[in-house]
Amino acid sequence: MGSQRLVVRRGQPFTIMLHFAGRGYEDGVDTLALNVQTGPCPTETWGTRSHFPVSSRLQASAWSAAVEQQDGTALSLSLCSPPDARIGLYTLTMEASTGYQGTSFRLGDFILLFNPWCPEDTVYLEDEDQRTEYVLTQQGIIYQGSNDFIVSAPWNFGQFEDNMVETCLLLLDTNPKFFRDQNRDCSRRNCPVYIGRVVSAMVNCNDDQGVLAGRWDNQYSDGVSPMSWIGSVEILRRWSKFGCQPVRYGQCWVFAAVACTVLRCLGIPTRVVTNYNSAHDTNQNLVIDRYLDERGSLQQGSKDMIWNFHCWVESWMARPDLSAGYDGWQALDPTPQEKSEGVYCCGPSPVKAIKEGDLVLNYDIPFVFTEVNADLIYWILQSDGSRKKTVHPSIVGKSISTKGVGRDSREDITHHYKYPEGSDKEREVFAKAKRQKRPVPQEETGMTMRIKVPQGANNGCDFDVVAAIHNDTDAERQCRLMFCARVASYNGNVGPECGMKDLLNVTLPPRGDKVVPLRVLYEKYGHCLTQDNVVKVVALLVEYQTREHIVAMRDIYVKNPDIKIRILGEPKQKRKLVAEITLTNPLATPLNGCSFTVEGAGLTEGQKIQELDCPVEPGQEAKARVDLMPRQAGLRKLVVDFESDKLKGVKGFRNVIIAPLPK
């Protein structure tokens, strides 16, 4: 596990070997007892200390020890913790006595973790493939992009890398609840619900000495861009190395990935989840209000937001604090958005309760419920001060995704969070949730409009978007169309304009269609495209006679070039390999300051950075070779990030199967 200490899981026996000086242990003559303790002030009252004799058999519900085997002066003891023991760093001591004489020995330290293999543990997960994926697997995929163009981003969780378990325990010992009441905090570390809330709060630094500082304004010169990270290990090592000072910077997928690493390391089955068109409802009215001017440009007026995507984690655990039916996956969100009990954390929220609209249960279910269910209302602000409303009830909470078990493909888990849009069951859930009445859909105008991308969008190239309008009435309609493209961030904020059309006379024939193209030029978007690679397109159609308004909006993901990875040599454990990495410059200008960053649990010792000395000309390849030394056999994932002055956060990965050493 990358630790010099013994690491064991609760509820699972482990063996220690004792060597006595002089004579060996004699049953019936010598009496042996053990003490285990964790935390700064261990007591039996708080459940952080236990004293127990060495007996003939182990117990299932308490700390116990039994003689396993004896060979002369060597004595093998089997120890077992109860399945609800507190996790953490323990000290083990032994008391040995013969008659009235006795002595005590400090045997050493060990680390105790949650045990998803133990049926009596509250994190027990029955399926072996799921345990492998959600506890043991050190590499994964996080989904980004947009609902129309889902992007797979590789990530090195690395929960078993050197010193990770010690760093995760340091995180628990740095949380404010520990400083306020050490006994109470350590005594509650047997509960994954409590641990989940602590980790959710400590991954961000808004209230404490948390791991990551968040930033969303594209100004990252005093730290590391969130798009540049490709793994959790470097982040956690920096935090630990520099005195628990926040690492700069993270955004939602980085917060979620680091939380996933910590929770998996502690033994709680965890996965990263992505929700597309994710709502952030600041006033909890189940409605996201957005404002447009008469030209279709987004205006300020509400703190409500819809993020292109938003990531959180799900952890598997029982919920004995709730009534029956809410065990299983629990949503935890470490991204600092809203406070929960005065702290920036969120969850654990039972996914079952979110789907059923049971909002009064612990914890933070209304917030997550809104993220996947809110209605979107566009208010068009008129020059005379009036407002026109258009309602979009089925935009939020799309393609909720996580990596599939044992494969690199996407699993859609939207049905875990919500019933089908517009179904009777969905309406029942809203009534049960006792929320404000669902807004009445706008009256049918007889016209519909969608934004399409015929050929996709590649970074460095011009691309087309079209407004496809359909007139479903028997009358000719005369309209004005305002069609605008702006660069944007994944959290919904918009930047400079990169394409615009204002057509005053758009004629829609009866029962007819009209397609209006808009060319988005690289020379317009290239210099201002954020590292999120998003262009937001808005179309506003106004019918002259009735003054009816139709709004269509779409986020276009601008695709980066692919990174190609070639493995040179035969992949064998503890045998040198070389990875050849290339990327072709798709732009019309040279790339300067190019570098490749490589990570891979079991393949590399930490991060490896290869900087290129020369600019990469248009159409030419950026190329690097990286030495690998596989330490572990099995399936490994090599994760690569490319950075330059004009292309940033380009990701790639390759699976490598490492053959074991011959026996």
Side-chain angles (χ1 to χ4, degrees):
M1 179 173 260
S3 173
Q4 298 301 313
R5 293 187 175 95
L6 173 66
V7 180
V8 297
R9 299 190 183 275
R10 62 185 192 175
Q12 178 178 327
F14 61 96
T15 300
I16 62 172
M17 183 70 73
L18 304 177
H19 295 273
F20 293 92
R23 68 176 179 85
Y25 166 75
E26 293 184 28
D27 187 23
V29 175
D30 302 317
T31 300
L32 301 180
L34 298 175
N35 285 297
V36 292
Q37 59 187 44
T38 184
C41 304
T43 66
E44 292 190 5
T45 303
W46 289 104
T48 51
R49 182 181 184 274
S50 183
H51 176 83
F52 51 97
V54 174
S55 61
S56 59
R57 65 176 60 184
L58 297 176
Q59 299 180 37
S61 59
W63 282 97
S64 59
V67 174
E68 192 174 83
Q69 187 177 355
Q70 184 173 5
D71 183 10
T73 58
L75 182 68
S76 174
L77 294 182
S78 181
L79 281 71
C80 192
S81 62
D84 60 351
R86 282 74 186 162
I87 67 162
L89 175 63
Y90 278 79
T91 298
L92 176 64
T93 59
M94 183 182 72
E95 297 173 0
S97 61
T98 304
Y100 294 103
Q101 295 183 334
T103 187
S104 178
F105 304 92
R106 186 181 187 278
L107 300 179
D109 299 330
F110 66 92
I111 293 171
L112 187 69
L113 303 177
F114 290 104
N115 189 358
W117 284 264
C118 175
E120 288 74 35
D121 197 311
T122 47
V123 301
Y124 174 64
L125 183 58
E126 184 176 8
D127 186 271
E128 178 62 28
D129 291 337
Q130 290 187 341
R131 287 195 296 252
T132 299
E133 181 69 44
Y134 301 135
V135 181
L136 301 181
T137 299
Q138 295 194 77
Q139 300 93 9
I141 291 172
I142 299 173
Y143 294 98
Q144 300 176 1
S146 68
N147 184 47
D148 297 310
F149 194 93
I150 294 176
V151 176
S152 301
W155 194 269
N156 179 37
F157 296 111
Q159 66 267 29
F160 302 133
E161 290 291 286
D162 291 346
N163 300 315
M164 279 299 100
V165 66
E166 287 85 358
T167 301
C168 294
L169 295 180
L170 175 63
L171 181 145
L172 298 184
D173 288 343
T174 311
N175 92 85
K177 295 179 180 179
F178 177 77
F179 292 123
R180 283 197 296 268
D181 191 336
Q182 295 176 351
N183 286 336
R184 179 171 171 78
D185 177 75
C186 290
S187 74
R188 299 180 73 185
R189 294 186 185 179
N190 64 331
C191 175
V193 175
Y194 180 76
I195 293 294
R197 283 186 70 74
V198 168
V199 171
S200 173
M202 283 298 298
V203 169
N204 71 72
C205 68
N206 286 45
D207 312 286
D208 42 47
Q209 291 180 276
V211 176
L212 277 162
R215 193 159 190 169
W216 286 266
D217 61 1
N218 294 302
Q219 304 298 318
Y220 310 121
S221 59
D222 59 340
V224 176
S225 163
M227 277 61 71
S228 297
W229 299 114
I230 54 177
S232 307
V233 176
E234 183 67 18
I235 295 170
L236 288 165
R237 283 179 176 162
R238 289 190 188 193
W239 176 75
S240 174
K241 179 180 179 181
F242 295 108
C244 304
Q245 293 301 304
V247 177
R248 302 174 181 172
Y249 289 103
Q251 291 179 4
C252 70
W253 69 93
V254 187
F255 287 111
V258 171
C260 185
T261 294
V262 174
L263 291 164
R264 285 186 184 181
C265 183
L266 297 177
I268 302 176
T270 303
R271 61 189 185 185
V272 177
V273 168
T274 301
N275 176 40
Y276 288 93
N277 297 346
S278 188
H280 182 179
D281 178 22
T282 57
N283 56 7
Q284 297 188 6
N285 67 348
L286 205 60
V287 170
I288 302 298
D289 296 299
R290 305 304 301 272
Y291 296 87
L292 304 174
D293 63 17
E294 289 185 294
R295 289 172 55 85
S297 297
L298 284 168
Q299 305 295 302
Q300 294 297 321
S302 170
K303 293 183 179 179
D304 290 350
M305 303 180 75
I306 292 184
W307 300 47
N308 248 30
F309 67 89
H310 181 59
C311 297
W312 56 78
V313 298
E314 289 179 356
S315 292
W316 183 272
M317 64 187 73
R319 291 299 302 268
D321 56 318
L322 305 178
S323 56
Y326 299 105
D327 297 345
W329 290 116
Q330 314 285 319
L332 286 154
D333 193 346
T335 300
Q337 297 182 86
E338 302 291 336
K339 288 189 175 183
S340 171
E341 297 181 337
V343 177
Y344 279 101
C345 70
C346 180
S349 306
V351 173
K352 179 69 172 177
I354 297 165
K355 182 173 183 176
E356 298 298 336
D358 296 328
L359 307 190
V360 297
L361 305 176
N362 287 337
Y363 292 91
D364 309 309
I365 299 169
F367 184 78
V368 186
F369 182 86
T370 302
E371 286 184 302
V372 300
N373 283 295
D375 283 344
L376 173 61
I377 295 181
Y378 285 113
W379 298 93
I380 295 94
L381 307 177
Q382 308 294 297
S383 57
D384 61 2
S386 63
R387 302 189 301 181
K388 296 281 188 180
K389 180 175 75 172
T390 67
V391 182
H392 303 258
S394 302
I395 298 295
V396 167
K398 298 294 185 182
S399 303
I400 303 176
S401 304
T402 191
K403 177 185 174 295
V405 174
R407 62 185 193 277
D408 286 336
S409 57
R410 184 179 70 90
E411 180 182 351
D412 193 305
I413 57 172
T414 308
H415 59 286
H416 291 186
Y417 281 84
K418 55 200 294 189
Y419 289 97
E421 295 281 0
S423 66
D424 291 342
K425 190 62 179 178
E426 185 209 22
R427 288 189 288 273
E428 288 177 21
V429 167
F430 270 84
K432 182 179 179 182
K434 296 181 180 178
R435 285 292 186 179
Q436 292 183 0
K437 190 175 181 181
R438 199 168 177 81
V440 178
Q442 65 189 88
E443 294 182 5
E444 291 293 332
T445 63
M447 295 186 296
T448 58
M449 179 169 59
R450 294 181 61 194
I451 295 172
K452 299 182 179 181
V453 188
Q455 300 295 329
N458 294 312
N459 203 347
C461 301
D462 303 341
F463 61 90
D464 292 312
V465 295
V466 299
I469 311 166
H470 176 68
N471 177 11
D472 199 32
T473 70
D474 293 323
E476 186 177 83
R477 312 293 287 268
Q478 295 293 326
C479 305
R480 177 183 180 183
L481 175 66
M482 287 148 284
F483 199 7
C484 179
R486 291 178 178 272
V487 298
S489 298
Y490 85 101
N491 63 358
N493 291 332
V494 294
E497 184 180 287
C498 55
M500 176 66 188
K501 275 187 176 180
D502 187 356
L503 305 178
L504 299 179
N505 295 294
V506 176
T507 300
L508 301 178
R511 304 288 174 183
D513 297 294
K514 186 83 171 181
V515 174
V516 179
L518 175 66
R519 187 82 166 166
V520 182
L521 303 177
Y522 175 73
E523 66 183 47
K524 295 288 187 180
Y525 75 79
H527 66 284
C528 54
L529 187 69
T530 73
Q531 295 182 32
D532 297 319
N533 284 35
V534 175
V535 172
K536 183 179 288 291
V537 181
V538 180
L540 175 60
L541 187 70
V542 182
E543 206 270 344
Y544 283 117
Q545 183 175 357
T546 63
R547 300 303 298 171
E548 292 170 343
H549 290 66
I550 299 176
V551 176
M553 188 173 295
R554 181 164 177 174
D555 291 320
I556 311 299
Y557 182 82
V558 181
K559 184 180 181 299
N560 279 324
D562 294 327
I563 292 177
K564 297 179 181 179
I565 304 171
R566 192 160 66 105
I567 301 298
L568 307 178
E570 187 178 0
K572 286 190 176 181
Q573 189 177 2
K574 297 185 178 180
R575 177 180 292 182
K576 180 180 174 182
L577 281 177
V578 174
E580 184 180 81
I581 306 166
T582 58
L583 176 144
T584 301
N585 178 8
L587 309 184
T589 57
L591 299 177
N592 297 292
C594 301
S595 66
F596 289 99
T597 301
V598 179
E599 283 189 31
L603 289 172
T604 62
E605 291 283 354
Q607 283 191 339
K608 290 195 171 187
I609 300 176
Q610 292 280 346
E611 297 181 348
L612 279 63
D613 296 328
C614 302
V616 180
E617 298 297 327
Q620 299 299 307
E621 285 187 342
K623 183 180 292 187
R625 288 193 172 195
V626 178
D627 292 338
L628 308 176
M629 181 59 71
R631 294 176 296 161
Q632 302 165 353
L635 178 63
R636 303 294 161 192
K637 193 182 300 292
L638 190 67
V639 182
V640 180
D641 172 77
F642 175 81
E643 302 285 328
S644 71
D645 59 337
K646 300 181 184 69
L647 282 179
K648 297 181 183 294
V650 185
K651 301 291 192 293
F653 72 94
R654 173 161 178 166
N655 290 329
V656 184
I657 299 177
I658 306 299
L661 289 171
K663 295 182 180 180

